[in-house]
Amino acid sequence: MIIRTAMAQINTTVGDLEGNKKIILSSIDSARSAGAGILLFPELTITGYPPEDLLLHTGFLRDNIRVLKEVEAYTTGSDTMVVVGFVDFSLEIYNAAAIIQNGEIKGVYRKMNLPNYSVFDERRYFTPGSRPLIIMSGSLKIGVNICEDIWVPAGPTNDQAIAGANLILNLSASPFTSTKNLTRMSLLQTRAMEYSCCMLYCNHVGGQDELVFDGRSTAIMPDGHRIVARSFEEDFLVIDIDTDQSTRYNLLEGKRKGYCKKAEVEEINVIIPQRKHQEFLPEETYRVSSEEDDLIDSLVLGLRDYTKKNGFKKVVLGLSGGMDSSLVAALAVKALGKENVIGVMMPSRITSDESKKDAVELAKNLGIETFEIPIESVFDSINGLMRPVFSDRTHDVTEENFQARIRGIILMGLSNKFGWLVLATGNKSEMATGYATLYGDMAGGLAILKDLYKTQIYRIAKRINEQTGTEIIPRNVFLKAPTAELREGQKDQDSLPPYEILDGILRLYIEESFSLDEIVSKGFDRETVEYVLRLLQRSEYKRKQGAPGIKVSKRAFGKDWRMPITNKYRD
């Protein structure tokens, strides 16, 4: 049996029910034009993902049902079976998928496995569904499930396969993290071959606050053949699937023999149009991109969507001549265009001529508008204002931080006056150790490097230059020692271990949850590890007040990291 299928890998916005509806209806039109018998959307298509505490408002839930009814009515006169994500509710609420055809909701599947780890809080809101679903169309049996359901070994996919499904449809909203795509693809391939099923996996794409969804929706055959949609952009994938492949592969390999007892499944009946020939069956399209390219694409998409979905047109950032601000500026230009990026140079007497030169050269290379606003007179004024209170106390980090806070005031003033979004430029190494000034360089609406260690930033900056074929980020920015330049001769390594060592310790503790002793066993000096962990633990109050950042790692500061500020435990 040959079925023409379509996957709408779309970029929806949380809470924009009308905007999301327009995208859904446009995709339905495209599926009709393509002659598709099945159209699959991502998870929670109507509400956007994740809707979080919007789900606690009954008005939001009712409006989501209203939009579902409008989508239902729009399918009148069409044989295309539309599978769309929404929030189902009565006495409880459910993460659900509606199966719609010819102006009628034929059935509803409720997600059974609700993730409650990392950035996921689905058990806070949803009640799990109780039964797998099978759609019957003649000899064709289709299983529908949602995201996490396909990751669980003994989950609904297993039950649907035992019930005879030869096609599985999975609606997903799987956020990007570095190298996760390799795991995801391996899992999908394993599931398709293990259960001898053709599978359609439709993933969300776009940025939503801290999260970025990379798309890469996939059709995968029982023999492991993969057809993959574009990454980090919308796509509409049309594929003719021969579902008899499942039967042939199952008979040949004996894949379903010896499975557990058949589970009770809900069955609904539809009539899905068949085709005589396979016309749309692309060659395998899966390509492994480099970690640096994926990180660049995720940051660009995350910044672009955060800016546009929150109503900003332009962004502004401080240009220090250092690596972090240089990379943020380069990424902002890729995301928004040079005409929408403003750089501000705010030198003091501490600022070196080298830093000024590097900042000017970067701005010229990028073609962005710049302002120079010296802070020396303001700095002197604040020092004079505070002198009677400080009395004879010596200058220390207090006065150093005045400079960072003056710069924060200037950037926020520009934001208020012109409506520009301020981009903070701090990185994960700094956020971890507290090597950042609260209400100073931490000020801003978005910190796009917040989940990148300093060593990663140099690799990504190098890759940006390789992509452009020029030294967009000046060579000298790579060569000079990193510095906050808040006192004469200051270098980051005066206060921190070398970044190669620091980042190695932080990665093991934050992302792998290693103990102090376990980190030491990896070859790190105990005294250095103890020092780094002290910095990490005493800086929690700063991180709680920092700008949101784009998650790209296994564990990011923000939704992923929920440490108490008041905390006496020490490793």
Side-chain angles (χ1 to χ4, degrees):
M1 182 181 298
I2 297 171
I3 303 295
R4 179 160 296 173
T5 64
M7 287 190 285
Q9 179 177 289
I10 56 177
N11 187 345
T12 53
T13 301
V14 167
D16 186 8
L17 302 182
E18 290 302 315
N20 295 343
K21 182 183 72 176
K22 289 179 182 178
I23 301 172
I24 292 167
L25 300 187
S26 175
S27 299
I28 292 173
D29 289 341
S30 297
R32 285 173 174 169
S33 298
I38 296 174
L39 172 59
L40 180 63
F41 285 97
E43 182 176 9
L44 291 181
T45 330
I46 289 173
T47 62
Y49 190 92
E52 300 183 298
D53 278 11
L54 288 174
L55 294 167
L56 304 181
H57 292 266
T58 54
F60 177 74
L61 299 176
R62 292 191 187 99
D63 284 340
N64 136 88
I65 296 296
R66 172 183 56 78
V67 171
L68 176 66
K69 293 294 185 182
E70 292 171 1
V71 172
E72 176 188 10
Y74 194 77
T75 67
T76 300
S78 171
D79 291 333
T80 302
M81 185 184 78
V82 176
V83 184
V84 64
F86 76 108
V87 179
D88 191 18
F89 82 106
S90 50
L91 295 177
E92 304 289 345
I93 65 174
Y94 303 89
N95 184 338
I99 294 87
I100 308 172
Q101 189 180 51
N102 194 17
E104 181 184 355
I105 295 178
K106 299 288 188 178
V108 170
Y109 169 73
R110 294 169 170 175
K111 186 174 181 179
M112 297 176 66
N113 293 279
L114 303 176
N116 218 61
Y117 55 86
S118 183
V119 299
F120 302 106
D121 283 316
E122 291 199 21
R123 292 181 199 167
R124 172 180 169 89
Y125 307 106
F126 297 116
T127 297
S130 58
R131 286 198 299 173
L133 177 70
I134 289 286
I135 301 168
M136 313 288 290
S137 179
S139 62
L140 176 63
K141 293 185 178 182
I142 304 170
V144 175
N145 52 50
I146 301 175
C147 203
E148 188 79 4
D149 288 333
I150 209 167
W151 288 78
V152 178
T157 310
N158 178 75
D159 296 334
Q160 289 160 339
I162 295 169
N166 39 20
L167 176 61
I168 299 290
L169 308 179
N170 181 269
L171 304 82
S172 187
S174 178
F176 168 82
T177 58
S178 180
T179 72
K180 179 181 180 180
N181 180 51
L182 301 176
T183 304
R184 186 194 295 149
M185 286 296 169
S186 176
L187 174 111
L188 293 173
Q189 192 172 42
T190 298
R191 289 286 181 268
M193 298 178 73
E194 179 182 18
Y195 296 131
S196 181
C197 286
C198 301
M199 290 188 174
L200 295 184
Y201 165 88
C202 188
N203 194 26
H204 178 43
V205 68
Q208 172 59 34
D209 293 348
E210 299 175 5
L211 304 180
V212 174
F213 299 87
D214 56 327
R216 292 183 168 121
S217 299
T218 304
I220 190 160
M221 307 306 156
D223 61 359
H225 183 85
R226 296 168 293 191
I227 302 160
V228 184
R230 291 193 288 264
S231 58
F232 300 103
E233 59 181 300
E234 291 186 310
D235 202 356
F236 192 82
L237 202 60
V238 179
I239 306 163
D240 287 345
I241 291 181
D242 180 1
T243 58
D244 289 339
Q245 285 188 49
S246 295
T247 303
R248 287 194 296 271
Y249 199 69
N250 179 43
L251 292 173
L252 180 65
E253 300 290 338
K255 287 289 180 180
R256 297 185 188 174
K257 294 178 180 177
Y259 274 107
C260 60
K261 183 179 178 181
K262 179 179 177 180
E264 181 182 358
V265 299
E266 179 182 356
E267 294 183 354
I268 63 173
N269 290 286
V270 300
I271 299 175
I272 298 175
Q274 300 180 37
R275 307 191 73 83
K276 294 181 179 179
H277 306 288
Q278 283 183 302
E279 298 174 24
F280 295 106
L281 185 61
E283 294 296 320
E284 179 157 334
T285 56
Y286 179 54
R287 299 289 183 273
V288 179
S289 31
S290 73
E291 181 181 359
E292 288 74 23
D293 284 342
D294 270 358
L295 287 170
I296 290 168
D297 288 344
S298 66
L299 296 171
V300 165
L301 177 57
L303 172 57
R304 181 186 298 129
D305 274 7
Y306 188 91
T307 302
K308 292 185 176 180
K309 290 180 180 182
N310 285 292
F312 293 98
K313 293 182 178 179
K314 296 190 176 187
V315 297
V316 62
L317 70 150
L319 293 181
S320 68
M323 177 55 79
D324 293 343
S325 64
S326 297
L327 179 56
V328 170
L331 290 168
V333 168
K334 284 178 73 72
L336 306 170
K338 63 183 180 182
E339 67 279 6
N340 294 314
V341 181
I342 298 95
V344 185
M345 294 172 282
M346 297 169 282
S348 72
R349 65 173 178 269
I350 306 298
T351 307
S352 67
D353 291 339
E354 180 184 40
S355 293
K356 295 176 187 176
K357 177 179 177 295
D358 291 338
V360 169
E361 184 179 349
L362 172 81
K364 181 180 178 182
N365 291 347
L366 293 173
I368 63 175
E369 182 181 3
T370 60
F371 296 100
E372 182 170 334
I373 305 176
I375 68 168
E376 191 61 38
S377 61
V378 183
F379 183 46
D380 288 342
S381 178
I382 291 178
N383 279 324
L385 181 69
M386 299 303 295
R387 192 170 294 117
V389 180
F390 289 168
S391 187
D392 58 351
R393 291 176 182 265
T394 58
H395 280 224
D396 56 16
V397 70
T398 308
E399 285 75 18
E400 293 178 19
N401 286 342
F402 281 160
Q403 298 167 80
R405 289 179 175 133
I406 291 167
R407 291 174 175 131
I409 289 171
I410 291 170
L411 291 172
M412 292 309 299
L414 292 169
S415 174
N416 291 159
K417 185 63 68 176
F418 299 110
W420 300 336
L421 172 68
V422 177
L423 300 182
T425 59
N427 60 64
K428 193 170 187 175
S429 306
E430 294 171 345
M431 293 300 103
T433 56
Y435 196 68
T437 304
L438 196 58
Y439 320 123
D441 56 304
M442 289 179 66
L446 183 67
I448 65 174
L449 304 184
K450 186 177 179 180
D451 200 26
L452 289 172
Y453 295 107
K454 190 75 169 187
T455 46
Q456 287 179 294
I457 284 168
Y458 278 90
R459 295 202 306 271
I460 292 169
K462 179 183 177 184
R463 180 58 184 154
I464 290 247
N465 281 358
E466 290 172 352
Q467 287 178 343
T468 59
T470 59
E471 291 186 345
I472 289 287
I473 299 175
R475 178 176 175 78
N476 192 56
V477 175
F478 290 87
L479 298 178
K480 65 186 180 184
T483 172
E485 255 187 346
L486 298 177
R487 65 173 182 270
E488 294 286 355
Q490 184 183 30
K491 299 290 184 289
D492 290 2
Q493 256 61 83
D494 297 339
S495 305
L496 301 172
Y499 280 115
E500 292 78 8
I501 294 173
L502 174 65
D503 291 353
I505 294 170
L506 292 174
R507 192 185 297 273
L508 289 174
Y509 189 82
I510 296 168
E511 295 175 37
E512 304 301 332
S513 299
F514 277 33
S515 68
L516 188 154
D517 288 339
E518 288 172 323
I519 296 172
V520 171
S521 73
K522 294 294 182 180
F524 293 97
D525 172 69
R526 177 173 289 275
E527 187 175 343
T528 303
V529 176
E530 289 174 345
Y531 173 66
V532 169
L533 297 190
R534 281 199 305 273
L535 293 178
L536 176 74
Q537 290 157 350
R538 76 184 190 190
S539 302
E540 195 60 47
Y541 76 100
K542 285 189 179 183
R543 290 189 288 273
K544 285 287 195 293
Q545 300 177 72
I550 298 171
K551 172 181 166 64
V552 295
S553 76
K554 184 177 177 181
R555 194 179 188 195
F557 294 133
K559 290 166 67 76
D560 251 355
W561 180 268
R562 308 182 192 188
M563 291 294 181
I565 296 173
T566 305
N567 172 21
K568 290 294 185 181
Y569 178 76
R570 295 296 179 263
D571 223 324

